[in-house]
Amino acid sequence: MALQLYKNEMSGSFYSWRGGAWIVAASMIFSLVAYLLLTDKELSLLDQGEMLFTLSEIVISLAIIMSVTLASSAISSEIELGTFESLLLTPLTGKQIAFQKLLSIITIWFLLYAVSIPYLLVISSGTNLSLSAIFYTGFYGTILVTAFSSLSIAISARVRSSKNSIMISLMILLILLAPSIFFATSLKKTSFGIALENINPVSHTMNSLDSVIVDNQQSPSEQDIHLASVIVFAVVCLLILLRLSHQFEVKPIQ
Amino acid sequence: MTVSAKKDSTYNTNNNTNNSRINDNSITTSKLSKTFENFKAVDSLTIKVDSGDIFGFLGPNGAGKTTTIRMLCGLLLPSSGSGKVGGYDIIKDSAKIRHIIGLLPESSGFYGWMNAEEYLTHFALLYKIDSDVARKRTKDLLEKMGLAEKAFAPISYYSRGMKQRLGLARILINEPHIIFLDEPTLGLDPKGQVEIRKVLLELNREKGVTILLSSHALREVSSLCNKIAIIDRGQLVSQGNIDELRLQSGLEQKIVIRVANNLRGRQRLANLPFSAAIETDNGSHLINIIIHNLSPISAVRNNNNNVDDDYHDDGINSILSHLMNQGLQIHDVQRPEIDLEEIFFKLIDSRQNNDDDNDAGVGLVEKRVREEKPREVRPH
């Protein structure tokens, strides 16, 4: 059966609450953020577009963290559990194993995204931003989840230890997700800072969402550079996964 | 020794196996090697397992058995050399090999949150077996392995023995033609061990499945396998049936004749016309006459290169006649079997002694360089 491993991954995710926990946690965070945006004395003073942008940012950030956490142990946990050999001995190819695992993470993202839609609708009520916010959040979320999951699965297969794989993946994510932690404003303006900002898919996503939701530039043609950068990043990550999945082999423990 | 039955394989599978190879369940390797960085795990290994063999694959820890099995199953790429499993090349045709083999590793993992029924059905579906057939096979295998009663309990609650039986059921779900077993009875209670052995013999005799069995349980190997290979430090030490291994080991088949321990007996035994060791225990009423080599009788071999028992018997008879003519009272005649354990240790010790002798006087650097160069497989 073509998607048997995918089905197994989904059952495993929800049986062990790996996937379910993310959905529950995400809905709690969305509720809290929405509540604060609407009731907090200072936050409620924000422009409605900025409120919506904040929520979109949180949806995307949570999606990336979720995908990195789940994907970075996708292969290594099978190796550690001793189940990877039996998977490799089935007619499934390395590519099929990797991509069915990727698909299961994207499915969990879709569930998380579905949970976020009512919150996006509530925050954007009374504006013409609802559809754009839902579309761009879904689009960028899907591309970034695909990209980060692919990269993390590849790291997981390469490093073969869940602990190290999660650590490396989170480190990459941290660098991309929060450049402000590492770079002061003056450093951001240096050529290195500008170069990093230009290749950072997370920055492009956030800048694009800001442009669509806050500045009301909703046409895709106005977002072409951001869209292209994020898509190129995703393609590179998928190619890395494709290349590594051809080389799955089990090394004996000496 | 139990000799496995060799039958044509008429195993029906849903797999896309080629009819032209369906009777070829053999395994061959030629100068197969695997190097991990500077460590040569398998070194120019050449073995031959015929269709329908139960082949014992022995060696000390770290000898390279598991690495060899992984290369044969397509889980590891060899560094050099070649191999065929069921007629398929282990490098080019690893996808085809997966359809016809089953591997039970020493420590296989399980999805603890599944039950046995779900687990086997999951693997059956991964093998693209029709869901009705998958359910039926799952049920049959669970019954065969004695797991039917616990089929719906989560695997995480299973004992090691139960998991081992479930692992064996998993590798049989695609009805493989060739199975690789790495310590299949490790950690099983005696009853479990007997049951696993029974299943293996059944598979071999009824379905002609070729079995490559890697185990440290030498008695088990001796009782199941019709051919054995012993490897050490990645190299082949010896290969053949147990008689051939015994000959290669240089261990002599001994015959013990026990005669009455009396004065006449002791006097007559002082001048025996054949070579024998005499063991007298003061407290015993018997004397042991130990004949280590029935030469030239033992050297007589039949067309199949096996020791011919008729000649053996003639040799013993002539010795017994001589003893009786001397007036000795013969109590009994014993021919203690040389077991696989003795052969294994003798072969491994001889090899290690040879290596030590060869290494004497060689500097550490020279020794390392020499070890990294491919070495010839010992003739057998």
PDB file of all heavy atoms in Angstrom, chain B residues 14 124-125 127-136:
ATOM      1  N   ASN B  14       3.430 -12.925  -3.183  1.00  0.00           N
ATOM      2  CA  ASN B  14       2.815 -11.883  -3.992  1.00  0.00           C
ATOM      3  C   ASN B  14       3.884 -10.982  -4.576  1.00  0.00           C
ATOM      4  O   ASN B  14       3.602  -9.978  -5.188  1.00  0.00           O
ATOM      5  CB  ASN B  14       1.876 -11.022  -3.139  1.00  0.00           C
ATOM      6  CG  ASN B  14       0.602 -11.763  -2.845  1.00  0.00           C
ATOM      7  OD1 ASN B  14       0.296 -12.761  -3.480  1.00  0.00           O
ATOM      8  ND2 ASN B  14      -0.146 -11.285  -1.884  1.00  0.00           N
ATOM      9  N   ALA B 124       2.958  -6.412   6.340  1.00  0.00           N
ATOM     10  CA  ALA B 124       2.405  -7.085   5.160  1.00  0.00           C
ATOM     11  C   ALA B 124       1.989  -6.035   4.126  1.00  0.00           C
ATOM     12  O   ALA B 124       2.262  -6.190   2.930  1.00  0.00           O
ATOM     13  CB  ALA B 124       1.205  -7.928   5.564  1.00  0.00           C
ATOM     14  N   LEU B 125       1.377  -4.952   4.581  1.00  0.00           N
ATOM     15  CA  LEU B 125       0.940  -3.906   3.648  1.00  0.00           C
ATOM     16  C   LEU B 125       2.132  -3.160   3.059  1.00  0.00           C
ATOM     17  O   LEU B 125       2.101  -2.738   1.905  1.00  0.00           O
ATOM     18  CB  LEU B 125      -0.021  -2.939   4.350  1.00  0.00           C
ATOM     19  CG  LEU B 125      -1.354  -3.577   4.796  1.00  0.00           C
ATOM     20  CD1 LEU B 125      -2.196  -2.565   5.560  1.00  0.00           C
ATOM     21  CD2 LEU B 125      -2.134  -4.112   3.611  1.00  0.00           C
ATOM     22  N   TYR B 127       4.789  -4.576   2.307  1.00  0.00           N
ATOM     23  CA  TYR B 127       5.248  -5.490   1.245  1.00  0.00           C
ATOM     24  C   TYR B 127       4.241  -5.568   0.100  1.00  0.00           C
ATOM     25  O   TYR B 127       4.367  -6.429  -0.763  1.00  0.00           O
ATOM     26  CB  TYR B 127       5.491  -6.892   1.816  1.00  0.00           C
ATOM     27  CG  TYR B 127       6.843  -7.046   2.470  1.00  0.00           C
ATOM     28  CD1 TYR B 127       6.976  -7.023   3.850  1.00  0.00           C
ATOM     29  CD2 TYR B 127       7.993  -7.201   1.707  1.00  0.00           C
ATOM     30  CE1 TYR B 127       8.211  -7.151   4.454  1.00  0.00           C
ATOM     31  CE2 TYR B 127       9.229  -7.337   2.306  1.00  0.00           C
ATOM     32  CZ  TYR B 127       9.338  -7.316   3.676  1.00  0.00           C
ATOM     33  OH  TYR B 127      10.570  -7.448   4.257  1.00  0.00           O
ATOM     34  N   LYS B 128       3.233  -4.696   0.151  1.00  0.00           N
ATOM     35  CA  LYS B 128       2.206  -4.614  -0.897  1.00  0.00           C
ATOM     36  C   LYS B 128       1.428  -5.918  -1.045  1.00  0.00           C
ATOM     37  O   LYS B 128       1.060  -6.323  -2.150  1.00  0.00           O
ATOM     38  CB  LYS B 128       2.847  -4.208  -2.238  1.00  0.00           C
ATOM     39  CG  LYS B 128       3.477  -2.825  -2.147  1.00  0.00           C
ATOM     40  CD  LYS B 128       4.247  -2.477  -3.387  1.00  0.00           C
ATOM     41  CE  LYS B 128       4.922  -1.119  -3.217  1.00  0.00           C
ATOM     42  NZ  LYS B 128       5.870  -0.817  -4.237  1.00  0.00           N
ATOM     43  N   ILE B 129       1.220  -6.577   0.069  1.00  0.00           N
ATOM     44  CA  ILE B 129       0.413  -7.802   0.055  1.00  0.00           C
ATOM     45  C   ILE B 129      -1.048  -7.373   0.179  1.00  0.00           C
ATOM     46  O   ILE B 129      -1.373  -6.478   0.969  1.00  0.00           O
ATOM     47  CB  ILE B 129       0.833  -8.734   1.222  1.00  0.00           C
ATOM     48  CG1 ILE B 129       2.284  -9.200   1.002  1.00  0.00           C
ATOM     49  CG2 ILE B 129      -0.107  -9.922   1.353  1.00  0.00           C
ATOM     50  CD1 ILE B 129       2.913  -9.868   2.203  1.00  0.00           C
ATOM     51  N   ASP B 130      -1.906  -8.016  -0.562  1.00  0.00           N
ATOM     52  CA  ASP B 130      -3.334  -7.702  -0.544  1.00  0.00           C
ATOM     53  C   ASP B 130      -3.862  -7.786   0.906  1.00  0.00           C
ATOM     54  O   ASP B 130      -3.480  -8.681   1.660  1.00  0.00           O
ATOM     55  CB  ASP B 130      -4.047  -8.723  -1.441  1.00  0.00           C
ATOM     56  CG  ASP B 130      -5.529  -8.500  -1.450  1.00  0.00           C
ATOM     57  OD1 ASP B 130      -5.949  -7.513  -2.051  1.00  0.00           O
ATOM     58  OD2 ASP B 130      -6.253  -9.305  -0.833  1.00  0.00           O
ATOM     59  N   SER B 131      -4.739  -6.861   1.285  1.00  0.00           N
ATOM     60  CA  SER B 131      -5.116  -6.768   2.701  1.00  0.00           C
ATOM     61  C   SER B 131      -5.782  -8.032   3.231  1.00  0.00           C
ATOM     62  O   SER B 131      -5.569  -8.405   4.387  1.00  0.00           O
ATOM     63  CB  SER B 131      -5.990  -5.538   2.946  1.00  0.00           C
ATOM     64  OG  SER B 131      -7.089  -5.580   2.094  1.00  0.00           O
ATOM     65  N   ASP B 132      -6.575  -8.740   2.408  1.00  0.00           N
ATOM     66  CA  ASP B 132      -7.205  -9.990   2.879  1.00  0.00           C
ATOM     67  C   ASP B 132      -6.139 -11.063   3.122  1.00  0.00           C
ATOM     68  O   ASP B 132      -6.167 -11.761   4.138  1.00  0.00           O
ATOM     69  CB  ASP B 132      -8.220 -10.500   1.844  1.00  0.00           C
ATOM     70  CG  ASP B 132      -9.440  -9.594   1.789  1.00  0.00           C
ATOM     71  OD1 ASP B 132      -9.710  -8.904   2.809  1.00  0.00           O
ATOM     72  OD2 ASP B 132     -10.108  -9.545   0.741  1.00  0.00           O
ATOM     73  N   VAL B 133      -5.210 -11.161   2.172  1.00  0.00           N
ATOM     74  CA  VAL B 133      -4.118 -12.139   2.311  1.00  0.00           C
ATOM     75  C   VAL B 133      -3.284 -11.768   3.541  1.00  0.00           C
ATOM     76  O   VAL B 133      -2.884 -12.641   4.325  1.00  0.00           O
ATOM     77  CB  VAL B 133      -3.226 -12.158   1.042  1.00  0.00           C
ATOM     78  CG1 VAL B 133      -2.071 -13.131   1.191  1.00  0.00           C
ATOM     79  CG2 VAL B 133      -4.053 -12.490  -0.183  1.00  0.00           C
ATOM     80  N   ALA B 134      -3.059 -10.465   3.709  1.00  0.00           N
ATOM     81  CA  ALA B 134      -2.247  -9.990   4.842  1.00  0.00           C
ATOM     82  C   ALA B 134      -2.885 -10.399   6.165  1.00  0.00           C
ATOM     83  O   ALA B 134      -2.199 -10.883   7.070  1.00  0.00           O
ATOM     84  CB  ALA B 134      -2.108  -8.476   4.773  1.00  0.00           C
ATOM     85  N   ARG B 135      -4.182 -10.212   6.269  1.00  0.00           N
ATOM     86  CA  ARG B 135      -4.882 -10.569   7.519  1.00  0.00           C
ATOM     87  C   ARG B 135      -4.777 -12.064   7.788  1.00  0.00           C
ATOM     88  O   ARG B 135      -4.537 -12.492   8.906  1.00  0.00           O
ATOM     89  CB  ARG B 135      -6.346 -10.135   7.439  1.00  0.00           C
ATOM     90  CG  ARG B 135      -6.572  -8.739   8.037  1.00  0.00           C
ATOM     91  CD  ARG B 135      -8.039  -8.460   8.228  1.00  0.00           C
ATOM     92  NE  ARG B 135      -8.733  -8.324   6.951  1.00  0.00           N
ATOM     93  CZ  ARG B 135      -8.773  -7.188   6.249  1.00  0.00           C
ATOM     94  NH1 ARG B 135      -8.184  -6.105   6.725  1.00  0.00           N
ATOM     95  NH2 ARG B 135      -9.400  -7.125   5.092  1.00  0.00           N
ATOM     96  N   LYS B 136      -4.952 -12.870   6.724  1.00  0.00           N
ATOM     97  CA  LYS B 136      -4.919 -14.326   6.896  1.00  0.00           C
ATOM     98  C   LYS B 136      -3.506 -14.773   7.317  1.00  0.00           C
ATOM     99  O   LYS B 136      -3.341 -15.557   8.246  1.00  0.00           O
ATOM    100  CB  LYS B 136      -5.332 -15.018   5.587  1.00  0.00           C
ATOM    101  CG  LYS B 136      -5.542 -16.506   5.790  1.00  0.00           C
ATOM    102  CD  LYS B 136      -5.906 -17.217   4.514  1.00  0.00           C
ATOM    103  CE  LYS B 136      -6.007 -18.715   4.738  1.00  0.00           C
ATOM    104  NZ  LYS B 136      -4.824 -19.329   5.299  1.00  0.00           N
TER     105      LYS B 136
END
